[in-house]
């Protein structure tokens, strides 16, 4: 039996992007070492690195999804395998210490929410660009937020200054991708960015900001598509 050439193409892209993400996970050890050598507290270097991983792995990977895949299966499986890898690193004690910490598994939740939110929205809305929007908020919006807070507050915090920068990054993405939908829903895209920015400041036990951002933004987009354009 001959497999569909489209399947082969997606398989190669999934393998290539997975290797790219693994390279990001490994090579971000270098900036961590450089920051520590210059006298930065290791935990602050970890927080910087975690956001670098968010953007280079999660953000770039998100943008690639609608460009190279024709259905959500490969992103879903790839994301779940990454979830398993990062969770095993915690469970075995062989952590990627340059971006993982022993007091939380937020990186695991990031990978899980990335894969499940993209797949679920794609299946429901049949729009890969809308499907990646919550993941973009989580990757780039929250990524910039963490870097700004770490630079100004010098520790992991939920300072409002980070929220300002998250909205600056997320609002254009919400508007532009919302405008690409059929029918166009740029206002709902903008609302989803605002909601994601607001909920990012909160955590409820095991429910961290990665879960809140993707779930809340996805809910807004689903409602927006159901309701239709506001203007």
């Amino acid at each position: 039996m001959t497999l569909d050439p489209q399947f082969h193409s997606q398989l190669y892209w999934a393998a290539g992007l997975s290797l790219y993400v693994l390279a990001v996970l490994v090579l971000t050890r270098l900036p961590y070492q450089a920051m520590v050598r210059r006298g930065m507290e290791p935990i602050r270097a970890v927080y910087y690195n975690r956001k670098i991983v968010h953007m280079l792995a999660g953000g770039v990977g998100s943008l690639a999804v609608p460009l190279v895949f024709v259905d959500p299966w490969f992103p879903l499986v790839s994301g779940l395998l990454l979830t398993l890898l990062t969770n095993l690193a915690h469970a075995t004690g062989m952590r990627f210490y340059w971006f993982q910490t022993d007091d939380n598994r937020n990186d695991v939740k990031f990978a899980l929410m990335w894969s499940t939110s993209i797949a679920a929205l794609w299946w429901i809305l049949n729009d890969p660009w809308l499907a990646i929007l919550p993941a973009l908020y989580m990757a780039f919006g929250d990524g910039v937020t963490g870097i700004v807070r770490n630079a100004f507050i010098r520790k992991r915090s939920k300072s409002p200054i980070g929220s300002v920068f998250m909205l600056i990054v997320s609002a254009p993405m919400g508007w532009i991708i919302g405008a690409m939908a059929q029918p166009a829903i740029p206002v709902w895209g903008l609302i989803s960015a605002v909601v994601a920015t607001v909920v990012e400041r909160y955590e409820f036990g095991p429910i961290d900001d990665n879960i809140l951002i993707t779930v809340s933004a996805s809910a807004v987009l689903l409602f927006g598509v159901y309701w239709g354009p506001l203007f």
Side-chain angles (χ1 to χ4, degrees):
M1 182 177 66
T2 303
L3 291 177
D4 185 348
Q6 202 171 61
F7 176 88
H8 281 110
S9 175
Q10 290 191 97
L11 180 61
Y12 296 148
W13 273 110
L17 287 169
S18 295
L19 289 174
Y20 163 75
V21 169
L22 289 175
V24 169
L25 299 188
V26 173
L27 293 177
T28 45
R29 181 177 178 178
L30 300 178
Y32 170 85
Q33 292 173 332
M35 286 184 280
V36 171
R37 276 198 306 268
R38 293 177 182 177
M40 183 179 292
E41 297 172 77
I43 192 61
R44 287 190 63 213
V46 166
Y47 290 147
Y48 273 126
N49 247 15
R50 184 176 293 181
K51 301 309 179 182
I52 293 172
V53 170
H54 273 206
M55 292 186 283
L56 291 184
V60 173
S62 298
L63 290 172
V65 165
L67 298 176
V68 302
F69 296 114
V70 298
D71 63 62
W73 281 108
F74 279 104
L76 175 62
V77 173
S78 300
L80 292 178
L81 288 175
L82 181 61
T83 303
L84 178 62
L85 172 65
T86 52
N87 195 44
L88 281 175
H90 282 284
T92 60
M94 300 175 65
R95 295 183 184 86
F96 299 97
Y97 64 85
W98 50 97
F99 70 86
Q100 291 184 317
T101 60
D102 58 3
D103 61 339
N104 69 61
R105 299 193 181 189
N106 290 356
D107 54 292
V108 179
K109 297 172 188 175
F110 180 100
L112 178 62
M113 297 311 298
W114 184 91
S115 54
T116 55
S117 68
I118 288 176
L121 284 177
W122 195 343
W123 275 318
I124 296 170
L125 301 178
N126 196 31
D127 186 330
W129 284 101
L130 283 180
I132 68 168
L133 189 51
L136 292 176
Y137 297 152
M138 183 173 60
F140 290 120
D142 186 43
V144 169
T145 297
I147 289 174
V148 169
R149 286 174 178 154
N150 204 14
F152 284 88
I153 311 301
R154 305 180 69 85
K155 64 179 181 179
R156 187 173 187 267
S157 71
K158 291 294 183 180
S159 167
I161 189 172
S163 300
V164 171
F165 278 86
M166 178 170 178
L167 187 59
I168 290 172
V169 171
S170 299
M173 294 191 296
W175 182 273
I176 293 170
I177 292 179
M180 293 166 57
Q182 295 296 329
I185 51 168
V187 177
W188 285 112
L190 181 60
I191 292 171
S192 72
V194 173
V195 170
T197 299
V198 171
V199 302
E200 182 276 334
R201 296 191 63 190
Y202 300 96
E203 293 182 348
F204 303 98
I207 303 175
D208 70 346
D209 53 359
N210 296 311
I211 297 174
L212 292 173
I213 289 170
T214 51
V215 170
S216 63
S218 296
V220 171
L221 292 174
L222 288 169
F223 183 80
V225 169
Y226 169 78
W227 186 272
L230 291 178
F231 301 106

